[in-house]
Every structure is written in C-alpha cells, then in structure tokens.
Amino acid sequence: MRIALRAFNDNPGSPVLVFGNALGTRMSLWSAVAGRLTDDFQIYISDLPGHTLPADETLSEATAPFTIADLASGLVESLAAVGVDTFTYCGVSISGAIGLTLALNHAEALTGLIACATGDKLGTEQTWDDRIAEVRADGTRGLVDDTADRWFAAGFIGEDIAAGPLVLADLALIDDEAYIAAATAAKSYDLSDSLRNITVPTLFLAGAQDPGFSPEAMSSLADQVDGSRLVSVPDSAHLPMVEHPDLVVDHIHSFCSGL
C-alpha cells in the first residue's frame, strides 16, 4: 500500500530521518522537532492512511483493511519510490509499532530506530473495541477530552502554549473511518516474544508520565533488544515531542551521532 510522505526540507546527501505520527494526529505532530533538525538530516514525515489532508490516497484506499505490517512494507516501498533506500525511523505510538515491525521485517532498510511511547502490543482487544464504538457513536471529536488526559502531562493544556490544543483540534478533524481502520490495525498488532530478534540500533523513548507506555513498561522492551537503550522525557506523557521538543531533539541527536 502507498504511504503519504512529505519532504520536510531539502538537504540532499544528509542522513535520512523519517518520522511517523500517532493515531489521531497529523504530520504536523513532529514539526517542532523536525524544524530543529533540518541542518543535519534530510527529513521526511510519513502519514497514517487518511489522516492528513490533502492526502495522496483516496479515502476508500485509506479505510480499506490493513495491518501494521502492511504499513511498514508500504512505507519502505513509498520511500524507495522517492529514492530513499535506507533511513532512520522515528515513530510514536502506532508508528512506534510500525518502527518495531520495520526492524523485524525490513532491517536492511533501517540504519536506526527511535521507538517512542509504544509497545510490543497496543492495548487490548476490548479497549480497541470500546474506542471504535465511541468513534462510531460520536466521531473522533468525542475522544478529545479523554485523549487530552492520556496525551499530555497534567497542567500542560492549561499553559499558554498552542501546540497541545492544535494537536487535539487535529484529532477532532480526523476522518472517522480512517481512524477506525488504523485502530483496527492496532488491535491486531502483536509482537510478543519477537523483539529479541531485532538487530537494528534502537532507542526507546518514553514520557515520564505516560499512563499507557510508562518508562517501566518500555524498559522491559529495551531489555529484549540487544544493545538498545531507554531514555525518559520528564514532565511529559504520551506525546513528548509536543510537550518538550528540545529534549526530544537532544535524544535524537545523541542517538543518531552514534550510528
């Protein structure tokens, strides 16, 4: 399947860094981080099907059934179509799952992996069934209040910072069926007992206050991947790239400088 990509900058000859967004967010999720890295990398931002408008794919393509493995394969194919055969991947949540799948199924394409706020499974079948039912009943706009508590550390939304409300506004505008298609892929994702096979240099990045993928939970992932390491971003929850982009940039720089 095709994955929508955007070149964030024009820095030919530099190492390629590809970002992947979270379920219910758009390509702009990584803008604050990507904008700080343009001197050192050629950056591409990848999209979840049907999430960012205008999208290259039609909505019918975006809502057809797919798996996380399909997204990983589609990303490799879509990057190859623009001349990128090897890259470092940085994905959060569902896109962190795409990254782990890339490391298992397409290791030859990866120079490094930064897996943010993710796991070898993403929730339970029941939590996804409940979420999908909510979207069918009230649309993605009905998820905003509960999602704010999961995505951001306490007090962040109340600060005079536009980034958090903008991300939540994007969630409210995501096409319902596109969200459900990606949620269905997340529901079936399971890499239990597989991470020990990863040989790609890997950095796990956690938000210190992430209720779903805590530093403790992600530490168990790092223990399974030989040579990997875990870093935690303080005063942040599920989307540290929004809350503390400077700290995330520092971790990305430190990791990539060792590749």
Side-chain angles (χ1 to χ4, degrees):
M1 65 185 300
R2 293 182 302 158
I3 302 297
L5 293 167
R6 298 290 186 273
F8 188 85
N9 62 331
D10 186 18
N11 194 1
S14 297
V16 175
L17 179 58
V18 179
F19 289 102
N21 52 328
L23 177 61
T25 69
R26 292 181 168 171
M27 290 179 171
S28 55
L29 179 72
W30 285 103
S31 294
V33 169
R36 290 163 166 83
L37 295 168
T38 53
D39 288 342
D40 300 307
F41 299 93
Q42 173 60 55
I43 296 171
Y44 289 86
I45 309 241
S46 62
D47 196 24
L48 293 172
H51 274 51
T52 298
L53 299 175
D56 287 339
E57 76 276 13
T58 67
L59 200 54
S60 61
E61 290 175 322
T63 57
F66 55 82
T67 65
I68 299 296
D70 292 332
L71 295 176
S73 297
L75 180 62
V76 171
E77 294 168 6
S78 298
L79 284 164
V82 296
V84 175
D85 294 318
T86 57
F87 56 95
T88 294
Y89 185 73
C90 180
V92 60
S93 197
I94 189 173
S95 287
I98 292 171
L100 293 171
T101 303
L102 284 169
L104 288 167
N105 297 350
H106 304 277
E108 71 289 346
L110 282 190
T111 53
L113 168 64
I114 304 160
C116 308
T118 195
D120 52 4
K121 296 183 71 174
L122 300 174
T124 66
E125 289 193 11
Q126 187 61 55
T127 58
W128 286 116
D129 285 341
D130 292 345
R131 182 90 59 85
I132 290 167
E134 286 183 63
V135 174
R136 292 204 186 281
D138 300 316
T140 55
R141 70 181 72 84
L143 301 176
V144 170
D145 289 343
D146 288 343
T147 300
D149 294 335
R150 290 187 292 106
W151 279 359
F152 303 116
F156 178 73
I157 291 297
E159 298 177 9
D160 188 19
I161 300 172
L166 286 172
V167 170
L168 292 171
D170 281 345
L171 170 61
L173 297 172
I174 298 294
D175 178 81
D176 296 343
E177 292 303 321
Y179 185 101
I180 288 169
T184 302
K187 174 183 171 180
S188 65
Y189 162 79
D190 187 351
L191 295 184
S192 301
D193 302 320
S194 298
L195 300 191
R196 297 187 186 282
N197 296 319
I198 292 177
T199 59
V200 174
T202 301
L203 174 68
F204 291 97
L205 190 150
Q209 298 180 35
D210 189 341
F213 299 98
S214 66
E216 293 76 18
M218 293 196 67
S219 177
S220 69
L221 303 182
D223 289 343
Q224 297 176 59
V225 180
D226 188 40
S228 70
R229 62 189 182 94
L230 169 72
V231 295
S232 178
V233 178
D235 300 318
S236 66
H238 194 55
L239 300 180
M241 72 294 299
V242 177
E243 296 175 286
H244 294 292
D246 285 327
L247 296 180
V248 173
V249 166
D250 288 344
H251 288 308
I252 291 174
H253 259 305
S254 177
F255 172 71
C256 290
S257 68
L259 295 178

